Protein backbone atom coordinates (compact mmCIF):
# COMPACT_ATOMS: atom_id res chain seq x y z
CA UNK A 1 0.00 0.00 0.00
CA UNK A 2 1.51 3.31 -1.03
CA UNK A 3 -1.30 5.69 -0.13
CA UNK A 4 -4.03 6.07 2.43
CA UNK A 5 -7.12 4.61 0.72
CA UNK A 6 -10.20 6.76 0.37
CA UNK A 7 -12.67 6.55 3.26
CA UNK A 8 -15.64 6.63 0.93
CA UNK A 9 -18.54 4.55 -0.28
CA UNK A 10 -21.59 6.12 -1.98
CA UNK A 11 -24.99 5.02 -0.79
CA UNK A 12 -28.40 4.83 -2.46
CA UNK A 13 -30.21 8.14 -2.31
CA UNK A 14 -33.68 6.62 -2.54
CA UNK A 15 -33.21 4.36 0.49
CA UNK A 16 -31.65 7.21 2.41
CA UNK A 17 -34.54 9.58 1.71
CA UNK A 18 -37.13 7.05 2.81
CA UNK A 19 -35.34 6.28 6.06
CA UNK A 20 -34.75 9.87 7.08
CA UNK A 21 -38.41 10.54 6.42
CA UNK A 22 -39.09 7.99 9.16
CA UNK A 23 -36.61 9.77 11.42
CA UNK A 24 -38.17 13.19 10.91
CA UNK A 25 -41.61 11.71 11.50
CA UNK A 26 -40.57 10.90 15.06
CA UNK A 27 -41.47 7.97 17.29
CA UNK A 28 -44.73 7.05 15.58
CA UNK A 29 -42.87 5.16 12.84
CA UNK A 30 -41.24 1.80 13.48
CA UNK A 31 -37.89 1.16 11.85
CA UNK A 32 -37.51 -1.04 8.82
CA UNK A 33 -34.24 -2.88 8.30
CA UNK A 34 -32.27 -0.67 5.87
CA UNK A 35 -29.61 -1.87 3.48
CA UNK A 36 -27.57 1.31 3.71
CA UNK A 37 -27.63 4.92 4.73
CA UNK A 38 -29.72 6.68 7.35
CA UNK A 39 -31.14 4.36 9.97
CA UNK A 40 -33.83 4.78 12.56
CA UNK A 41 -33.67 2.15 15.28
CA UNK A 42 -36.74 2.49 17.45
CA UNK A 43 -38.30 0.80 20.43
CA UNK A 44 -41.04 -1.79 20.21
CA UNK A 45 -44.63 -0.58 20.68
CA UNK A 46 -44.79 -2.36 24.04
CA UNK A 47 -42.06 -0.09 25.42
CA UNK A 48 -42.91 2.97 23.39
CA UNK A 49 -43.36 6.26 25.21
CA UNK A 50 -45.01 9.39 23.90
CA UNK A 51 -41.73 11.33 24.13
CA UNK A 52 -38.78 8.93 23.89
CA UNK A 53 -35.17 9.95 24.25
CA UNK A 54 -32.95 9.93 21.17
CA UNK A 55 -29.35 9.18 20.29
CA UNK A 56 -28.32 11.09 17.15
CA UNK A 57 -25.12 9.90 15.44
CA UNK A 58 -23.33 11.79 12.66
CA UNK A 59 -20.20 11.03 10.71
CA UNK A 60 -18.51 9.29 7.82
CA UNK A 61 -18.26 5.60 6.94
CA UNK A 62 -17.19 4.67 10.47
CA UNK A 63 -20.48 6.02 11.81
CA UNK A 64 -22.32 4.37 8.90
CA UNK A 65 -20.68 0.99 9.52
CA UNK A 66 -19.10 0.27 6.14
CA UNK A 67 -17.46 -3.18 5.97
CA UNK A 68 -15.34 -4.24 2.99
CA UNK A 69 -16.16 -7.94 3.28
CA UNK A 70 -19.77 -7.21 2.34
CA UNK A 71 -19.19 -3.98 0.41
CA UNK A 72 -21.83 -1.85 2.12
CA UNK A 73 -22.85 -0.20 5.38
CA UNK A 74 -23.80 -2.54 8.24
CA UNK A 75 -25.07 -2.51 11.81
CA UNK A 76 -21.67 -3.37 13.34
CA UNK A 77 -20.64 0.30 13.48
CA UNK A 78 -19.50 1.83 16.74
CA UNK A 79 -22.69 3.90 16.65
CA UNK A 80 -24.84 0.77 16.52
CA UNK A 81 -22.79 -0.96 19.21
CA UNK A 82 -22.86 2.12 21.42
CA UNK A 83 -26.62 2.39 20.94
CA UNK A 84 -27.05 -1.24 22.05
CA UNK A 85 -25.06 -0.53 25.21
CA UNK A 86 -26.88 2.70 26.00
CA UNK A 87 -30.22 1.02 25.38
CA UNK A 88 -29.53 -1.48 28.16
CA UNK A 89 -29.98 1.41 30.61
CA UNK A 90 -32.68 3.19 28.60
CA UNK A 91 -34.95 0.68 26.81
CA UNK A 92 -36.89 3.51 25.17
CA UNK A 93 -33.84 5.07 23.51
CA UNK A 94 -34.16 5.60 19.73
CA UNK A 95 -31.13 5.79 17.43
CA UNK A 96 -31.16 8.32 14.59
CA UNK A 97 -28.22 7.18 12.47
CA UNK A 98 -27.23 9.84 9.94
CA UNK A 99 -23.69 8.73 9.00
CA UNK A 100 -22.69 9.09 5.35
CA UNK A 101 -19.87 7.11 3.80
CA UNK A 102 -17.39 9.42 2.08
CA UNK A 103 -18.48 12.49 4.04
CA UNK A 104 -16.03 15.37 4.50
CA UNK A 105 -16.44 18.39 6.75
CA UNK A 106 -17.47 20.40 3.70
CA UNK A 107 -20.03 17.89 2.45
CA UNK A 108 -21.41 17.48 5.95
CA UNK A 109 -22.16 21.20 5.94
CA UNK A 110 -23.13 21.71 2.30
CA UNK A 111 -24.26 18.28 1.14
CA UNK A 112 -23.40 16.57 -2.12
CA UNK A 113 -22.80 12.93 -1.17
CA UNK A 114 -25.85 11.61 0.69
CA UNK A 115 -29.43 12.81 0.36
CA UNK A 116 -31.65 13.75 3.30
CA UNK A 117 -35.34 14.54 2.70
CA UNK A 118 -36.22 18.08 3.66
CA UNK A 119 -32.58 18.92 4.35
CA UNK A 120 -29.62 20.09 2.29
CA UNK A 121 -26.96 18.08 4.12
CA UNK A 122 -26.25 15.72 6.99
CA UNK A 123 -25.67 18.69 9.30
CA UNK A 124 -28.90 20.35 8.19
CA UNK A 125 -30.82 17.13 8.80
CA UNK A 126 -29.30 16.78 12.28
CA UNK A 127 -29.96 20.41 13.20
CA UNK A 128 -33.59 20.14 12.12
CA UNK A 129 -34.05 16.93 14.07
CA UNK A 130 -32.42 18.37 17.19
CA UNK A 131 -34.63 21.47 17.03
CA UNK A 132 -37.78 19.42 16.47
CA UNK A 133 -36.94 17.14 19.43
CA UNK A 134 -35.22 19.68 21.68
CA UNK A 135 -35.10 18.41 25.23
CA UNK A 136 -35.56 14.79 24.13
CA UNK A 137 -32.12 14.03 22.67
CA UNK A 138 -29.84 12.36 25.22
CA UNK A 139 -26.71 11.77 23.12
CA UNK A 140 -25.04 13.24 20.04
CA UNK A 141 -21.90 11.63 18.59
CA UNK A 142 -19.71 12.78 15.72
CA UNK A 143 -16.78 11.59 13.64
CA UNK A 144 -15.64 13.65 10.68
CA UNK A 145 -12.41 14.87 9.08
CA UNK A 146 -10.58 11.76 7.87
CA UNK A 147 -11.70 12.20 4.29
CA UNK A 148 -10.39 15.77 4.28
CA UNK A 149 -6.82 14.44 4.36
CA UNK A 150 -7.48 11.37 2.26
CA UNK A 151 -4.79 10.89 -0.34
CA UNK A 152 -2.16 13.04 1.40
CA UNK A 153 0.06 10.00 1.94
CA UNK A 154 1.51 8.91 -1.38
CA UNK A 155 4.53 6.83 -2.26
CA UNK A 156 5.47 6.47 1.38
CA UNK A 157 5.63 10.21 2.03
CA UNK A 158 3.33 13.02 3.06
CA UNK A 159 2.23 15.60 0.50
CA UNK A 160 2.69 18.73 2.67
CA UNK A 161 0.42 20.96 0.59
CA UNK A 162 -2.35 18.39 0.59
CA UNK A 163 -2.03 17.77 4.33
CA UNK A 164 -1.93 21.46 5.17
CA UNK A 165 -5.01 22.19 3.08
CA UNK A 166 -6.98 19.27 4.50
CA UNK A 167 -6.13 20.03 8.11
CA UNK A 168 -6.87 23.73 7.59
CA UNK A 169 -10.29 22.80 6.20
CA UNK A 170 -11.05 20.63 9.22
CA UNK A 171 -9.84 23.39 11.56
CA UNK A 172 -12.13 25.92 9.88
CA UNK A 173 -15.22 23.75 9.44
CA UNK A 174 -15.32 21.51 12.53
CA UNK A 175 -16.29 24.45 14.79
CA UNK A 176 -19.12 25.33 12.39
CA UNK A 177 -20.44 21.78 12.71
CA UNK A 178 -20.15 21.39 16.46
CA UNK A 179 -21.48 24.86 17.28
CA UNK A 180 -24.50 24.37 15.00
CA UNK A 181 -25.31 21.04 16.64
CA UNK A 182 -24.99 22.44 20.15
CA UNK A 183 -27.11 25.49 19.33
CA UNK A 184 -29.82 23.24 17.92
CA UNK A 185 -29.76 20.65 20.69
CA UNK A 186 -29.29 22.93 23.68
CA UNK A 187 -27.94 21.77 27.02
CA UNK A 188 -29.87 18.50 27.37
CA UNK A 189 -27.79 16.14 25.17
CA UNK A 190 -24.38 14.75 26.01
CA UNK A 191 -22.15 15.65 23.07
CA UNK A 192 -19.02 13.72 22.09
CA UNK A 193 -16.84 13.37 19.02
CA UNK A 194 -13.93 11.10 18.24
CA UNK A 195 -10.44 11.53 16.88
CA UNK A 196 -8.92 8.94 14.54
CA UNK A 197 -6.65 5.92 14.56
CA UNK A 198 -3.95 5.69 11.87
CA UNK A 199 -4.65 2.83 9.41
CA UNK A 200 -1.49 3.60 7.41
CA UNK A 201 0.54 2.10 10.27
CA UNK A 202 0.02 -1.28 8.61
CA UNK A 203 2.65 -0.34 6.03
CA UNK A 204 5.18 -1.03 8.82
CA UNK A 205 4.97 -4.70 7.89
CA UNK A 206 6.44 -4.12 4.41
CA UNK A 207 10.00 -3.47 5.58
CA UNK A 208 12.35 -0.59 6.42
CA UNK A 209 10.87 1.85 3.91
CA UNK A 210 7.39 1.02 5.15
CA UNK A 211 8.47 1.53 8.74
CA UNK A 212 9.71 5.00 7.91
CA UNK A 213 6.46 5.75 6.09
CA UNK A 214 4.43 4.51 9.06
CA UNK A 215 6.23 6.90 11.37
CA UNK A 216 5.69 9.75 8.93
CA UNK A 217 1.98 8.97 8.80
CA UNK A 218 1.61 9.66 12.50
CA UNK A 219 2.68 13.27 11.85
CA UNK A 220 -0.37 13.69 9.63
CA UNK A 221 -2.52 12.01 12.25
CA UNK A 222 -1.33 14.31 15.01
CA UNK A 223 -2.16 17.35 12.88
CA UNK A 224 -5.59 16.06 11.93
CA UNK A 225 -6.48 14.99 15.45
CA UNK A 226 -5.35 18.35 16.80
CA UNK A 227 -7.74 20.12 14.43
CA UNK A 228 -10.53 17.70 15.34
CA UNK A 229 -9.98 18.23 19.08
CA UNK A 230 -10.03 22.02 18.71
CA UNK A 231 -13.22 21.85 16.65
CA UNK A 232 -14.90 19.66 19.25
CA UNK A 233 -13.95 22.03 22.07
CA UNK A 234 -15.38 24.96 20.11
CA UNK A 235 -18.84 23.37 20.22
CA UNK A 236 -18.47 22.06 23.79
CA UNK A 237 -18.17 18.45 22.64
CA UNK A 238 -16.16 16.02 24.74
CA UNK A 239 -13.35 14.11 23.06
CA UNK A 240 -13.60 10.35 22.63
CA UNK A 241 -9.88 9.61 22.39
CA UNK A 242 -9.90 6.73 19.92
CA UNK A 243 -6.33 7.49 18.87
CA UNK A 244 -5.06 6.68 22.35
CA UNK A 245 -7.27 3.60 22.63
CA UNK A 246 -5.58 2.31 19.46
CA UNK A 247 -2.12 3.24 20.91
CA UNK A 248 -1.51 5.21 17.72
CA UNK A 249 1.79 6.78 18.77
CA UNK A 250 3.20 3.76 20.62
CA UNK A 251 6.09 2.41 18.55
CA UNK A 252 8.06 1.51 21.71
CA UNK A 253 6.04 -1.35 23.17
CA UNK A 254 6.51 -4.58 21.23
CA UNK A 255 3.95 -7.37 21.03
CA UNK A 256 3.64 -10.59 19.07
CA UNK A 257 1.41 -10.38 16.02
CA UNK A 258 0.53 -13.87 14.71
CA UNK A 259 2.11 -14.43 11.34
CA UNK A 260 4.45 -11.43 11.66
CA UNK A 261 6.32 -11.82 14.95
CA UNK A 262 7.30 -8.84 17.09
CA UNK A 263 5.78 -5.54 15.99
CA UNK A 264 5.01 -2.22 17.71
CA UNK A 265 1.79 -2.17 19.71
CA UNK A 266 0.20 0.46 17.44
CA UNK A 267 0.82 -1.69 14.37
CA UNK A 268 -0.59 -4.78 16.08
CA UNK A 269 -3.76 -2.96 17.04
CA UNK A 270 -4.32 -1.68 13.52
CA UNK A 271 -3.92 -5.22 12.22
CA UNK A 272 -6.23 -6.63 14.90
CA UNK A 273 -8.92 -3.97 14.90
CA UNK A 274 -9.14 -2.97 11.21
CA UNK A 275 -9.17 -4.72 7.83
CA UNK A 276 -5.74 -3.36 6.83
CA UNK A 277 -3.75 -6.57 7.34
CA UNK A 278 -6.29 -8.80 5.60
CA UNK A 279 -6.62 -9.46 1.86
CA UNK A 280 -9.04 -6.51 1.76
CA UNK A 281 -6.28 -4.02 2.76
CA UNK A 282 -9.03 -1.69 3.93
CA UNK A 283 -8.79 1.12 6.48
CA UNK A 284 -12.16 0.57 8.15
CA UNK A 285 -12.46 -0.80 11.66
CA UNK A 286 -13.70 -4.38 11.86
CA UNK A 287 -16.43 -5.35 14.33
CA UNK A 288 -13.86 -5.71 17.12
CA UNK A 289 -12.41 -2.29 16.33
CA UNK A 290 -15.86 -0.77 16.30
CA UNK A 291 -16.49 -2.33 19.72
CA UNK A 292 -13.33 -0.64 21.01
CA UNK A 293 -14.51 2.73 19.66
CA UNK A 294 -17.97 2.21 21.18
CA UNK A 295 -16.28 1.49 24.50
CA UNK A 296 -14.41 4.80 24.40
CA UNK A 297 -17.67 6.69 23.91
CA UNK A 298 -19.42 4.61 26.55
CA UNK A 299 -16.76 5.39 29.16
CA UNK A 300 -16.95 9.07 28.27
CA UNK A 301 -20.71 9.15 28.75
CA UNK A 302 -20.47 7.12 31.95
CA UNK A 303 -18.32 9.83 33.50
CA UNK A 304 -20.44 12.66 32.10
CA UNK A 305 -23.60 12.75 34.13
CA UNK A 306 -26.14 15.50 33.65
Amino acid sequence: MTALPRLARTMGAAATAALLALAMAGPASAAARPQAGVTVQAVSPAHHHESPEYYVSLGDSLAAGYQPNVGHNTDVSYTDQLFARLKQHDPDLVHIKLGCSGETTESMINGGICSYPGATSQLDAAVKFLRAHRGHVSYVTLDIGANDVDGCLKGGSIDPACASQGIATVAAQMPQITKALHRAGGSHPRYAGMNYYDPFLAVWLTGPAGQQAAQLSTQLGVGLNGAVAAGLRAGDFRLADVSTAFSTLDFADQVTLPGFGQVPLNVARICTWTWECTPFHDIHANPTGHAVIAGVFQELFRHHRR
Side-chain angles (χ1 to χ4, degrees), residues 96-150:
I96 306 301
K97 184 179 176 183
L98 302 178
C100 173
S101 291
E103 199 82 294
T104 65
T105 53
E106 181 175 356
S107 66
M108 178 171 278
I109 295 169
N110 298 318
I113 296 180
C114 296
S115 298
Y116 299 88
T120 58
S121 67
Q122 183 176 172
L123 178 61
D124 188 38
V127 164
K128 287 178 176 177
F129 186 89
L130 289 169
R131 286 175 178 164
H133 299 82
R134 194 178 176 94
H136 296 287
V137 176
S138 292
Y139 308 95
V140 177
T141 64
L142 172 69
D143 74 89
I144 197 68
N147 290 319
D148 291 81
V149 297
D150 184 17

Side-chain angles (χ1 to χ4, degrees), residues 24-107:
M24 293 302 187
S29 299
R33 185 87 168 162
Q35 294 183 349
V38 179
T39 306
V40 184
Q41 294 173 312
V43 296
S44 65
H47 295 96
H48 189 68
H49 286 176
E50 204 170 298
S51 298
E53 290 289 301
Y54 296 95
Y55 161 37
V56 178
S57 64
L58 299 91
D60 52 31
S61 55
L62 288 178
Y66 177 81
Q67 293 289 277
N69 60 322
V70 293
H72 56 71
N73 297 337
T74 71
D75 60 3
V76 305
S77 71
Y78 77 87
T79 60
D80 290 301
Q81 295 194 46
L82 176 61
F83 170 61
R85 298 180 191 191
L86 295 173
K87 194 173 173 64
Q88 291 177 2
H89 302 285
D90 184 358
D92 295 311
L93 193 67
V94 178
H95 184 192
I96 306 301
K97 184 179 176 183
L98 302 178
C100 173
S101 291
E103 199 82 294
T104 65
T105 53
E106 181 175 356
S107 66

